[in-house]
């Protein structure tokens, strides 16, 4: 498939020939570090550079010898799914001394290394930057000591540094997510989901401690993802008297027939006087004030362990490739940079700007400027905190605004994990805004049959962790039943619609928009939130449910590959869902380390299949034991999964044997991933706030009715690159291939060459999106943003 115009075929312009790149992991380990190491090694070798492992972090750099070893392509096989870091990590006191850095410089020069990829936290990256600044002086010193030749100072004149942040705490400013954070959230949510079942049985309160000595991200997001009753984080300590408020809330929840309470405490939680708040203190408080049966669970290093999530593998792989590109483009005057994530874009930011901002957060906390600490932490953190407060703490009826508007919420299309989190969020935000919220069962089929009822705050308790669609969902479109739906809109006085679903939801809004000419009842604000495992909705880079499906694919592929360990060489052909959209096959292939992924968007013929078989056969003969090939279910009507299986079986005879597996509906089932819970929660809250704004704008005082007939009153809320954007559905028609139910342009197609490169194919790679060095955006506090008690 032709690549978009840009800096194409980068390896002709950005050769790594003659360069030596070293990769090390430092500080605490994080799941996904191995994926980053693998990407750096393979991308470095791909562009012709020599690549070295530095084992045991900075300690290995100081000690030298066997700790610095040349890396090979085969040496990083089968490490994508392994947690921790296989090249080891160690904290090194000696590197903090001038003598230690002098030894490290000598060891690097001996191998001709002047390019360093450092994967670690802010301490590791700060150390790398100091090393870079001292580099020329260290070399001069080594010449004076007679340890290296004088010409080495000129030959290795500059040390280039690129950082990737590996930290489960997500405590580094400048990036939305650090490597390891999503996997740590998976561990936490697995434990919380398990604890909730036993807590429900015994009517218990559980106090959970999660990691985060200086950052409350894990505590905050896991609280958002599981609907915790209370959360305590260091950036925003609770107001004085919080103990009484917390006990009142726990008591009110029990009175409302809730059988359990969950309190999440970050290990660095403090009160307004910076005094630590411990889990034991919270437990004793609950027992003393309420007499509830209360238990403490400290998750500890469980959060660091286990297999990396699909998100972390993809993030780390993209960052690793971007890091090598940054090293190839760097000059002696380029400041050390860190590769970061903003929205779904890789960006490069000056390392020390990010470090300074991270230190500002701690300084603000030390000086009790807590609102500023939250702002400096970043927009993502601040939005999480605002959303949690909005959904977890219900205002008394007397404090709620009275809008007299009725808003209906429904699911349309196939079920997707995270839909229930989105519905819960919409219902609770709507009630907070003073609306009467109506739930429609079974999509538009239930709508025209009148399956509509009011839904209250407590009715959606515990919905975030539920898979599928608790409201019920159908693929029925509204056009055929427009008259009956209009009648129900009239009967229930529905003033706005929130539709959560996939491509059918998009088609439904287009049909309702068209029907406005005939039925005035449809002249109300309408908004759609994309939710489908296929990720094929135009106007949004991501859909609720796609991350859960990716994790199901990745986990299954890991198990399938492991089933062949110790046996003869074997290739697995895996069929994924997605209709005509190849997102799951492509991104799942990148996360699982696939050798090929066949999709509709990139046409292929028998020659391509033959070339893939030959490429895999060659690799099987020399190195790898297992191969993985993914095929999107509708990638080609003739080259079916059976056909590809038979072709590989026949052509691979004598070298490998073949197995096939159709993953089917297991991709749609299961509990939603932390990402889908939070994405669904936040996007739905934003959609509901848009509805409230539109209702006020379109309300006619004269007849006391809502009338919204403009294009911008019927929108899709989607993620576009770095932001959530409302787009009129009619404007998305030109961007849509209605026959194949996919957007005409899809951002993830740019990841396909990356997957091929990591599988050892020669290909072109569009780097038009690869970063020019940007600057950190400062999210400054506003005077009007008053803090709310947690």
């Amino acid at each position: 498939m032709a690549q978009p115009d840009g800096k194409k075929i980068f390896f002709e312009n950005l050769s790594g020939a003659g360069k030596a790149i070293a990769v090390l992991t430092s500080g605490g380990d994080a799941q996904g570090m191995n994926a980053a190491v693998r990407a750096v090694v393979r991308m470095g070798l791909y562009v012709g550079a020599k690549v070295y492992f530095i084992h045991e972090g900075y300690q290995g750099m100081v000690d030298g010898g066997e700790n610095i070893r040349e890396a090979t392509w085969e040496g990083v096989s089968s490490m994508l799914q392994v947690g921790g870091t296989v090249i080891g990590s160690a904290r090194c006191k000696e590197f903090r001394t001038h003598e230690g850095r002098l030894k490290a410089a000598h060891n690097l020069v001996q191998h001709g290394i002047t390019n360093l990829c450092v994967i670690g936290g802010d301490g590791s990256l700060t150390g790398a930057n100091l090393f870079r600044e001292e580099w020329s002086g260290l070399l001069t010193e080594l010449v004076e000591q007679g340890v290296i030749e004088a010409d080495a100072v000129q030959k290795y004149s500059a040390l280039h540094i690129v950082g990737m942040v590996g930290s489960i705490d997500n405590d580094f400013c400048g990036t939305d997510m650090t490597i390891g954070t999503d996997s740590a959230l998976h561990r936490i949510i697995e434990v919380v989901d398990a604890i909730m079942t036993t807590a429900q049985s015994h009517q218990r309160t559980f106090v959970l401690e999660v990691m985060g000595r200086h950052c409350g991200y894990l505590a905050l997001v896991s609280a958002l993802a599981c609907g915790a009753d209370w959360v305590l984080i260091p950036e925003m300590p609770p107001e004085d008297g919080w103990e009484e408020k917390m006990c009142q809330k726990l008591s009110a929840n029990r009175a409302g027939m809730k059988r359990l309470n969950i309190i999440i405490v970050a290990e660095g939680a403090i009160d307004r006087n910076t005094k630590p708040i411990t889990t034991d203190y919270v437990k004793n408080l609950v027992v003393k004030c309420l007499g509830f049966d209360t238990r403490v669970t400290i998750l500890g290093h469980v959060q660091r362990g286990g297999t990396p999530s699909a998100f972390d593998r993809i993030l780390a792989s993209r960052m690793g490739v971007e890091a090598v590109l940054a090293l190839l483009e760097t000059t002696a005057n380029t400041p050390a940079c860190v590769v970061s994530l903003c929205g779904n874009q890789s960006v490069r930011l000056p390392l020390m700007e990010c470090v300074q901002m991270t230190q500002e957060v701690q300084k603000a906390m030390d000086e009790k400027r807590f609102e500023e600490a939250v702002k400096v932490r970043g927009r993502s953190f601040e939005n999480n905190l605002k959303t949690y407060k909005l959904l977890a703490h219900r205002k008394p009826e007397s404090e709620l605004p009275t809008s007299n508007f009725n808003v209906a919420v429904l699911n349309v299309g196939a079920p997707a994990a995270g839909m229930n989190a989105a519905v819960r969020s919409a219902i609770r935000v709507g009630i907070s805004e003073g609306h009467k919220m109506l739930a429609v069962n079974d999509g538009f089929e239930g709508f025209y049959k009148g399956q509509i009822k009011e839904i209250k705050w407590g009715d959606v308790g515990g919905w975030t962790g539920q898979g599928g669609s608790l409201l019920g969902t159908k693929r029925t479109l509204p056009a055929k039943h427009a008259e009956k739906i209009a009648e129900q809109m009239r009967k229930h006085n529905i003033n706005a619609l929130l539709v959560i679903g996939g491509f059918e939801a998009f088609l439904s809004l287009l049909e309702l928009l068209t029907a406005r000419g005939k039925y005035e009842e449809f002249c109300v604000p309408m908004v759609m939130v994309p939710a489908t495992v296929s990720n094929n909705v135009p106007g949004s880079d991501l859909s609720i449910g796609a991350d859960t499906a990716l994790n199901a694919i990745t986990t299954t592929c890991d198990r399938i590959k492991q089933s062949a360990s110790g046996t003869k060489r074997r290739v697995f052909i895996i069929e994924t869902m997605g209709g005509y959209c190849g997102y799951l096959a492509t991104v799942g292939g990148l996360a699982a380390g696939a050798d090929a992924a066949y999709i509709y968007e990139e046409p292929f013929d028998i020659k391509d299949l033959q070339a893939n078989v030959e490429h895999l056969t060659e690799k099987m003969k020399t190195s790898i034991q297992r191969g993985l090939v993914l095929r999107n279910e509708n990638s080609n009507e003739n080259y079916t999964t059976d056909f590809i299986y038979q072709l590989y079986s026949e052509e691979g005879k004598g070298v490998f044997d073949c197995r096939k597996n159709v993953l089917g509906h297991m991709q749609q089932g299961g509990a939603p991933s932390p990402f889908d819970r939070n994405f669904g929660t936040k996007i739905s809250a934003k959609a509901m706030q848009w509805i409230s704004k539109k209702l006020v704008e379109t309300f006619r005082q004269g007849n006391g009715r809502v009338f919204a007939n403009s294009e911008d009153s019927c929108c899709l809320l989607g993620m576009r690159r770095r932001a959530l954007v409302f787009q009129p559905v009619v404007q998305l028609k030109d961007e849509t291939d209605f026959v194949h139910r996919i957007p005409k342009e899809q951002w993830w197609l740019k990841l396909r060459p990356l997957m091929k490169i990591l599988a050892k194919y020669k290909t072109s790679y569009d780097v038009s999106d690869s970063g020019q060095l940007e600057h950190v955006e400062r999210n400054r506090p506003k005077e009007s943003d008053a803090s709310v008690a947690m």
Side-chain angles (χ1 to χ4, degrees):
M1 189 171 183
Q3 291 296 309
D5 288 336
K7 294 182 276 183
K8 284 201 297 183
I9 319 180
F10 73 91
F11 47 84
E12 291 181 4
N13 307 320
L14 297 170
S15 171
K19 294 195 175 185
I21 299 170
V23 58
L24 71 143
T25 53
S26 177
D29 67 319
Q31 309 96 319
M33 279 183 165
N34 289 324
V37 170
R38 172 180 176 266
V40 169
V41 169
R42 291 195 166 177
M43 191 63 164
L45 294 172
Y46 186 81
V47 296
K50 269 190 172 184
V51 185
Y52 292 88
F53 292 132
I54 299 179
H55 290 265
E56 312 307 334
Y58 287 119
Q59 191 66 56
M61 198 191 293
V62 171
D63 294 343
E66 281 296 299
N67 288 305
I68 303 175
R69 288 180 232 161
E70 193 169 347
T72 63
W73 191 280
E74 292 74 26
V76 292
S77 295
S78 302
M79 69 191 290
L80 188 61
Q81 68 271 26
V82 180
T85 164
V86 297
I87 59 173
S89 180
R91 303 187 192 277
C92 178
K93 287 183 180 176
E94 202 174 349
F95 188 76
R96 295 177 188 175
T97 67
H98 182 77
E99 292 73 21
R101 291 191 291 276
L102 195 64
K103 284 184 193 174
H106 181 220
N107 289 327
L108 293 190
V109 168
Q110 281 184 312
H111 292 88
I113 297 167
T114 56
N115 297 280
L116 269 187
C117 241
V118 182
I119 308 166
D122 61 330
S124 304
L125 300 179
T126 305
N129 190 63
L130 175 63
F131 190 39
R132 171 185 161 274
E133 288 171 349
E134 290 182 352
W135 181 255
S136 57
L138 293 170
L139 294 199
T140 304
E141 215 172 311
L142 290 170
V143 171
E144 288 168 1
Q145 291 177 7
V147 179
I148 61 171
E149 298 296 325
D151 62 350
V153 176
Q154 188 61 39
K155 190 177 178 183
Y156 306 117
S157 58
L159 179 68
H160 306 296
I161 303 280
V162 173
M164 285 179 272
V165 190
S167 164
I168 67 164
D169 292 342
N170 203 27
D171 56 354
F172 194 81
C173 294
T175 185
D176 288 351
M177 287 285 264
T178 56
I179 296 167
T181 304
D182 187 67
S183 301
L185 284 171
H186 272 259
R187 298 298 93 78
I188 295 167
I189 294 305
E190 284 161 13
V191 171
V192 174
D193 285 352
I195 277 175
M196 284 173 94
T197 58
T198 181
Q200 184 96 16
S201 303
H202 296 278
Q203 296 195 58
R204 280 186 178 138
T205 296
F206 270 85
V207 184
L208 280 85
E209 181 183 287
V210 301
M211 282 186 166
R213 219 173 329 152
H214 305 294
C215 177
Y217 184 89
L218 288 179
L220 178 58
V221 176
S222 54
L224 203 53
C226 72
D229 297 280
W230 205 266
V231 65
L232 294 158
I233 58 172
E235 290 88 347
M236 183 56 74
E239 298 287 352
D240 293 340
W242 64 272
E243 294 95 337
E244 189 182 339
K245 287 179 186 172
M246 183 184 78
C247 290
Q248 284 172 355
K249 180 162 192 286
L250 298 182
S251 183
N253 283 352
R254 285 292 176 93
M257 305 305 290
K258 191 176 177 185
R259 291 176 60 86
L260 75 152
N261 302 111
I262 300 288
I263 301 164
I264 296 182
V265 183
E267 64 177 325
I270 52 173
D271 64 15
R272 289 265 153 181
N273 299 310
T274 67
K275 181 187 169 188
I277 299 174
T278 65
T279 48
D280 282 337
Y281 177 76
V282 175
K283 176 198 166 180
N284 294 335
L285 181 70
V286 174
V287 171
K288 182 182 171 186
C289 295
L290 301 172
F292 290 172
D293 184 3
T294 307
R295 304 295 164 95
V296 169
T297 300
I298 297 174
L299 271 64
H301 284 76
V302 164
Q303 296 158 86
R304 279 196 194 280
T307 305
S309 66
F311 183 97
D312 272 329
R313 297 184 200 194
I314 296 154
L315 172 68
S317 297
R318 290 177 70 186
M319 282 186 169
V321 168
E322 184 71 26
V324 172
L325 291 174
L327 285 171
L328 293 179
E329 292 174 357
T330 195
T331 65
N333 300 320
T334 309
C337 78
V338 64
V339 180
S340 298
L341 179 78
C342 187
N344 69 353
Q345 301 290 301
S346 292
V347 295
R348 300 177 198 169
L349 299 169
L351 191 153
M352 289 317 293
E353 278 187 26
C354 297
V355 169
Q356 282 156 13
M357 191 177 278
T358 304
Q359 290 167 349
E360 275 183 39
V361 178
Q362 189 57 50
K363 190 181 176 197
M365 288 194 287
D366 292 342
E367 295 173 0
K368 301 182 185 178
R369 292 180 285 113
F370 298 114
E371 286 86 0
E372 187 169 346
V374 169
K375 294 275 182 184
V376 179
R377 184 67 82 195
R379 233 176 238 111
S380 173
F381 188 91
E382 187 184 15
N383 288 341
N384 284 325
L385 186 57
K386 282 180 178 173
T387 308
Y388 176 77
K389 289 173 180 175
L390 201 58
L391 300 179
H393 303 291
R394 186 183 182 185
K395 292 177 185 172
E397 295 284 342
S398 57
E399 290 181 25
L400 289 174
T402 48
S403 72
N404 296 319
F405 293 125
N406 297 344
V407 182
V409 180
L410 67 157
N411 294 154
V412 176
M419 272 184 165
N420 297 320
V423 171
R424 169 186 176 267
S425 175
I427 300 300
R428 291 196 169 180
V429 172
I431 290 169
S432 296
E433 309 252 308
H435 309 318
K436 180 181 178 182
M437 299 303 296
L438 302 171
V440 182
N441 294 116
D442 297 336
F444 283 106
E445 190 172 310
F447 208 134
Y448 83 79
K449 290 177 180 175
Q451 294 172 13
I452 303 165
K453 60 180 182 184
E454 186 178 357
I455 188 163
K456 302 278 193 180
W457 184 281
D459 296 336
V460 292
W463 278 34
T464 47
Q466 301 284 326
S469 166
L470 292 172
L471 286 184
T473 182
K474 295 280 176 71
R475 294 179 186 270
T476 309
L477 297 177
K480 288 181 184 175
H481 311 285
E483 190 175 336
K484 288 183 178 178
I485 292 169
E487 188 184 315
Q488 293 295 336
M489 297 271 289
R490 213 170 31 249
K491 180 181 172 184
H492 293 276
N493 188 26
I494 293 170
N495 309 116
L497 278 183
L498 172 58
V499 183
I500 300 165
F503 202 85
E504 288 87 358
F506 172 62
L507 294 175
S508 297
L509 253 61
L510 287 172
E511 289 185 0
L512 291 175
L513 189 67
T514 305
R516 277 178 171 178
K518 191 173 179 183
Y519 303 101
E520 197 174 293
E521 288 80 4
F522 299 137
C523 294
V524 297
M526 294 185 270
V527 65
M528 174 198 162
V529 168
T532 166
V533 300
S534 302
N535 198 32
N536 64 333
V537 178
S540 188
D541 293 347
L542 294 171
S543 297
I544 299 164
D547 183 72
T548 304
L550 278 177
N551 278 290
I553 292 166
T554 307
T555 304
T556 308
C557 287
D558 286 351
R559 289 178 180 176
I560 287 170
K561 285 200 291 184
Q562 194 178 42
S563 73
S565 61
T567 65
K568 58 184 178 179
R569 294 184 177 94
R570 184 166 285 171
V571 173
F572 295 95
I573 315 294
I574 312 284
E575 182 182 294
T576 66
M577 282 178 130
Y580 284 94
C581 179
Y583 175 82
L584 290 180
T586 297
V587 184
L590 183 59
D595 296 279
Y598 300 116
I599 62 169
Y600 167 77
E601 293 91 342
E602 190 172 281
F604 57 95
D605 56 24
I606 195 69
K607 289 178 185 172
D608 296 316
L609 291 170
Q610 186 64 35
N612 292 152
V613 174
E614 287 170 5
H615 181 264
L616 199 47
T617 304
E618 200 55 43
K619 283 208 295 186
M620 285 282 190
K621 284 177 180 174
T622 56
S623 55
I624 65 167
Q625 296 290 316
R626 288 157 287 177
L628 187 66
V629 175
L630 271 63
R631 178 190 173 272
N632 166 247
E633 58 185 347
N634 288 345
S635 55
N636 189 295
E637 62 180 331
N638 295 314
Y639 301 133
T640 62
T641 303
D642 281 333
F643 179 90
I644 292 172
Y645 163 67
Q646 287 163 4
L647 177 74
Y648 273 75
S649 297
E650 183 61 32
E651 296 298 317
K653 266 184 184 171
V655 180
F656 59 79
D657 68 356
C658 230
R659 295 286 185 274
K660 65 172 178 177
N661 196 303
V662 177
L663 299 185
H665 282 75
M666 65 168 292
Q667 296 159 84
Q668 256 181 347
S673 67
F675 182 93
D676 277 330
R677 297 184 195 199
N678 291 311
F679 184 51
T681 298
K682 288 196 282 189
I683 196 171
S684 200
K686 194 174 178 77
M688 201 64 231
Q689 288 166 334
W690 177 89
I691 282 176
S692 297
K693 184 175 162 229
K694 284 288 175 191
L695 284 169
V696 172
E697 287 174 7
T698 57
F699 181 69
R700 293 180 169 183
Q701 293 287 351
N703 60 8
R705 290 176 60 189
V706 170
F707 186 83
N709 203 22
S710 59
E711 286 183 359
D712 70 351
S713 66
C714 183
C715 282
L716 180 146
L717 174 57
M719 182 181 225
R720 282 286 177 99
R721 292 172 72 89
R722 301 187 187 184
L724 289 171
V725 185
F726 289 96
Q727 304 141 97
V729 289
V730 70
Q731 292 177 17
L732 295 172
K733 285 170 80 172
D734 292 340
E735 297 180 22
T736 309
D737 174 353
F738 285 95
V739 175
H740 298 101
R741 298 159 60 92
I742 54 174
K744 288 178 182 174
E745 288 187 17
Q746 301 182 85
W747 70 274
W748 51 265
L749 286 168
K750 289 185 179 181
L751 298 181
R752 283 188 65 76
L754 190 150
M755 184 189 73
K756 291 175 184 176
I757 287 166
L758 297 178
K760 216 174 185 177
Y761 284 93
K762 283 288 176 188
T763 185
S764 60
Y765 182 47
D766 170 28
V767 292
S768 52
D769 273 348
S770 287
Q772 296 300 312
L773 200 62
E774 300 183 16
H775 289 282
V776 183
E777 285 185 23
R778 292 187 169 258
N779 193 18
R780 284 293 177 198
K782 297 173 190 168
E783 290 297 318
S784 60
D785 284 350
S787 66
V788 182
M790 289 295 286

